[in-house]
């Protein structure tokens, strides 16, 4: 089973607008609401790939209850640790070919609640063989959160995939997770004033799998001292939000199933690309997957 961790989930609300007018009323026909957060996007795609998965993390209040009800409706297994403060909501306005976001910071988590979650996490590790930890940290959760989780994962003999940014990524990397997936901005924050290639090599000296995602330009991977280039087909993206999370899901499933490096990279690239073709976030077309896999090129450099 794959265990996904979302420490700062949200109700993601998307508004599709013909145009966005400042200081004016903007009316929409429909608001699209999703149980969001990077880890839950990953979970949805893993579920579509029909791999056993359990979602955990921190939820609180009525918004947390709504997220759990949405997961139930989608037949997604979950076991969250409940906190007192309300889970956040995040708004995205799609207009004029652009996306404007309003993101709440999230709840304040007490030290007692954080330690309670760590104990809860340990109880879930027994049935998991791979852990995916994604996204930002709510207030009160220490920047060492992912380092702490990875230490518990490694102690249990399991592997952790980490997808985050900022100080949480820096601390997480220090604990040497199995896989990280930084984009260019995240690499620059980790290794200021360092060329991308050099920053990737530095990471690859510490971490078995390093994926540098480049969006529509594919990705580069450094795995076990070997460099791979991933080329993806040109597509007309409908909603690229969550494509990185869909890629992580594909990588996680490939690793869980024991696929070869090339097959795992292809699956991750295919799911990431397919997400961009769907209006929903963290969604892929399973019918289109076989053809997309054929269009992905993985080259050793």
């Amino acid at each position: 089973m794959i265990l996904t961790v979302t420490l700062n989930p949200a109700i993601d609300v998307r508004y599709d607008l013909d145009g966005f007018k400042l200081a004016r009323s903007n009316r929409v026909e429909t608001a699209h609401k999703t149980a969001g957060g990077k880890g839950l996007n990953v979970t949805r795609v893993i579920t579509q790939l029909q791999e056993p998965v359990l979602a955990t993390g921190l939820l609180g209040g009525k918004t947390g209850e709504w997220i759990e009800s949405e997961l139930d409706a989608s037949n997604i297994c979950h076991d969250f640790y409940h906190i007192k403060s309300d889970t956040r909501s995040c708004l995205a306005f799609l207009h004029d070919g652009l996306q404007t976001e309003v993101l709440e910071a999230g709840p304040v988590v007490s030290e007692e609640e954080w330690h309670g979650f760590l104990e809860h996490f340990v109880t879930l590790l027994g049935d998991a063989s791979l852990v995916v930890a994604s996204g930002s940290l709510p207030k009160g959760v220490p920047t060492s959160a992912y380092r702490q989780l990875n230490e518990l994962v490694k102690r249990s003999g399991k592997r952790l995939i980490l997808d985050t940014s900022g100080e949480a990524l820096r601390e997480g990397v220090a604990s040497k997770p199995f896989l990280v997936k930084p984009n260019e901005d995240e690499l620059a924050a980790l290794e200021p004033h360092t060329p991308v290639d050099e920053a990737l090599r530095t990471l690859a000296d510490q971490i078995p799998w390093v994926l540098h995602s480049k969006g529509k330009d594919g990705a580069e991977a450094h795995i076990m001292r070997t460099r791979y280039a991933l080329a993806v087909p040109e597509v007309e993206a409908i909603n690229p939000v969550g494509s990185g999370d869909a890629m992580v899901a594909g990588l996680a499933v490939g690793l869980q199933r024991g696929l070869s490096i090339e097959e795992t990279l292809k699956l991750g690239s295919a799911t990431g690309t397919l997400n961009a073709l769907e209006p929903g976030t963290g969604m892929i077309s399973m019918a289109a997957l076989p053809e997309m896999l054929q269009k992905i090129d993985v080259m050793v450099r």
Side-chain angles (χ1 to χ4, degrees):
M1 180 194 73
I2 299 173
L3 178 65
T4 64
V5 180
T6 312
L7 295 177
N8 202 14
I11 297 178
D12 285 340
V13 186
R14 190 184 88 229
Y15 299 104
D16 297 317
L17 300 164
D18 293 331
F20 188 79
K21 304 177 183 66
L22 288 173
R24 298 274 300 277
S25 295
N26 292 272
R27 300 186 184 278
V28 294
E29 293 294 328
T30 306
H32 306 273
K33 295 186 179 181
T34 307
K38 291 177 68 64
L40 290 181
N41 294 338
V42 172
T43 307
R44 272 194 296 276
V45 176
I46 293 175
T47 300
Q48 288 181 274
L49 292 169
Q50 299 184 333
E51 191 67 32
V53 62
L54 177 69
T56 191
L58 302 169
L59 284 179
K62 294 296 183 183
T63 45
E65 291 176 8
W66 186 89
I67 287 175
E68 288 184 308
S69 70
E70 284 296 295
L71 296 177
D72 288 338
S74 300
N75 295 314
I76 293 174
C77 297
H78 57 88
D79 192 347
F80 281 83
Y81 186 81
H82 294 98
I83 59 175
K84 293 179 181 178
S85 297
D86 286 350
T87 293
R88 63 184 178 150
S89 294
C90 294
L91 310 181
F93 302 88
L94 275 63
H95 59 95
D96 307 306
L98 303 172
Q99 178 165 313
T100 301
E101 295 182 319
V102 179
L103 310 177
E104 294 182 10
V108 177
V109 180
S110 70
E111 184 177 353
E112 180 182 3
E113 287 172 332
W114 174 242
H115 288 300
F117 171 74
L118 290 177
E119 292 175 1
H120 178 67
F121 179 72
V122 170
T123 67
L124 301 179
L125 269 179
D127 293 327
S129 52
L130 180 66
V131 179
V132 180
S134 310
S136 63
L137 304 176
K139 293 178 181 178
V141 171
T143 56
S144 62
Y146 291 129
R147 174 174 58 78
Q148 293 180 52
L149 293 184
N150 191 41
E151 288 169 353
L152 293 170
V153 169
K154 292 169 78 172
R155 197 177 303 163
S156 68
K158 315 295 173 67
R159 299 176 294 181
L160 182 134
I161 295 173
L162 178 60
D163 186 17
T164 186
S165 59
E167 197 59 31
L169 176 60
R170 184 181 302 280
E171 291 238 20
V173 163
S175 68
K176 297 180 173 56
F178 182 77
L179 185 155
V180 294
K181 191 194 68 63
N183 59 29
E184 192 159 343
D185 290 341
E186 291 158 357
L187 275 173
L190 277 178
E191 300 284 343
H193 315 298
T194 303
V196 169
D197 284 349
E198 186 177 336
L200 284 170
R201 286 194 297 270
T202 299
L203 271 181
D205 286 340
Q206 309 170 58
I207 296 170
W209 283 55
V210 178
L211 272 289
H212 171 41
S213 54
K214 301 179 180 180
K216 63 182 177 61
D217 295 322
E220 179 180 337
H222 289 245
I223 300 170
M224 313 297 186
R225 308 287 181 179
T226 301
R227 180 184 172 194
Y228 298 84
L230 285 65
V232 300
E234 287 188 18
V235 298
E236 292 188 14
I238 295 173
N239 176 29
V241 179
S243 289
D245 304 326
M247 182 182 195
V248 168
L251 294 169
V253 170
L255 289 168
Q256 179 74 355
R257 292 177 179 171
L259 301 183
S260 69
I261 290 173
E262 289 82 0
E263 289 172 324
T264 299
L265 293 175
K266 278 193 173 186
L267 183 56
S269 296
T271 52
T273 304
L274 287 172
N275 176 89
L277 299 176
E278 297 295 318
T281 301
M283 301 293 293
I284 64 170
S285 166
M286 287 298 295
L289 180 58
E291 182 180 353
M292 182 60 71
L293 285 169
Q294 296 297 318
K295 295 179 179 179
I296 306 293
D297 289 324
V298 178
M299 299 154 283
V300 177
R301 290 290 175 87

